[in-house]
Amino acid sequence: MRISLDEAVAKLQNGEVVAIPTETVYGLAADATNESALRQIYAIKQRPADNPLIVHIGHINQVNEWAAEFPPLAQKLASAFWPGPFTLVLPAKDDVSSIVRAGEPTVALRIPSHPLALQLLKQSGLGLAAPSANKYTQLSPTTAVHVGTGLGECIPVLDGGACQVGIESTIVSVINNDWQLLRHGMIAEAEITAIAGKPALAGLENQPKAPGQHLLHYSPKTPIKLFDSAEALMRYQQISKQTCAVLLIDDGSTNKLLTTKPMKPQPVKPQIVQLPKNPAIVAEQLYGVLHHLDTLNVAQLLVQLPPDRPEWLAILDRLTRAAHHP
Ligand code: AMP
Ligand code: MG
């Protein structure tokens, strides 16, 4: 159900949940101080209660309403990356609901850059908890249509068009004068290091960093199989007896491959989507393409992984989790 900005503001102020656009993905928003509204988010998403929610704010002055400390390093990062796809985890004030922070001593904060999200935050004056507007572990929505498909048409949606970043925010935790990367996103570690003037805290790479970062996540209904190269993918596709849809991330060889090696006819014609080898474009399109391929009713999605390089880490992270077999 589509609603207007004014209707969205009224519903949120009334303790209801509303799906809202952000530049990363669509969020299922609720007043982050209203515990019954927060419980509705967890219930609709079927999200475990130990998985905390990011609080979206409209202005940097609001940080002090949520965080017990806003150290100079965090201020520097916030000034550089807000509004934008960047979340700061800071020590929480005592009165921040334990539901929104899932019992953690910290709170996660972000100022989104989507103009409609910013307008909504400013007009409502609220801090909005807004995890992705999808069921737990499933593919995140990047259009209003995806929200309706994933959560049902009865969810009120403020339609702000297709998300332009397309994957979830980078999450950074700041404690005193140190920082740690909790989730890769399109703001890369090197950019954060440059602003911070120092690298992330070393030695914690393989420890569980933030609650709720489950191995199975961002997942379409159709099983995904990942390949290091287009050649390996096409070889598999030629011998596979299953119906497949294909996502290629162009590495220059794929055009030749597609034209010089015609694929074996299959019971259902395979669908091939090819994205350019550009991390920003792949991020923007990724969930939309996976949503589309998921509707084709094939047995498997075959996906070519991008190169294992820093600019691709956020996309590699999402694809690896999407393909995880529990
Ligand atoms: P999302 O699912 O995109 O809304 O992002 C939520 C993720 O942010 C959680 O799964 C955590 O990894 C992280 N997060 C949110 N709040 C906190 C918090 N208070 N402390 C640490 N990490 C958090
Ligand atoms: Mg999510």
Side-chain angles (χ1 to χ4, degrees), residues 2 4 235 271:
R2 299 291 195 278
S4 68
R235 266 198 308 276
Q271 293 276 342

Side-chain angles (χ1 to χ4, degrees), residues 25 45 47 131-134 137-138 140 168 183 217-218:
V25 302
K45 282 182 62 66
R47 178 166 167 133
S132 51
N134 59 323
T137 77
Q138 292 183 359
S140 300
E168 296 79 0
R183 178 170 74 190
H217 211 149
Y218 319 116

Side-chain angles (χ1 to χ4, degrees), residues 45 47 51-54 56 87 89-90 100-101 104-108 130-132 168-169 171 182-183 209-213 217-218:
K45 282 182 62 66
R47 178 166 167 133
N51 192 340
L53 309 177
I54 296 171
H56 297 71
T87 297
V89 173
L90 296 170
V100 79
R101 53 183 158 125
E104 296 295 317
T106 45
V107 63
S132 51
E168 296 79 0
S169 58
I171 304 181
L182 302 187
R183 178 170 74 190
K209 295 167 178 175
Q213 302 258 330
H217 211 149
Y218 319 116

Side-chain angles (χ1 to χ4, degrees), residues 5-71:
L5 179 66
D6 288 344
E7 287 169 322
V9 169
K11 281 182 180 294
L12 290 165
Q13 287 174 334
N14 193 36
E16 296 171 46
V17 297
V18 171
I20 63 163
T22 81
E23 73 280 20
T24 58
V25 302
Y26 271 72
L28 189 62
D31 175 355
T33 63
N34 181 325
E35 296 207 329
S36 89
L38 292 169
R39 283 197 195 91
Q40 286 179 58
I41 293 184
Y42 283 96
I44 293 168
K45 282 182 62 66
Q46 295 164 3
R47 178 166 167 133
D50 64 358
N51 192 340
L53 309 177
I54 296 171
V55 178
H56 297 71
I57 52 177
H59 196 280
I60 197 165
N61 291 345
Q62 287 170 271
V63 169
N64 293 320
E65 294 170 24
W66 302 90
E69 293 160 34
F70 193 16

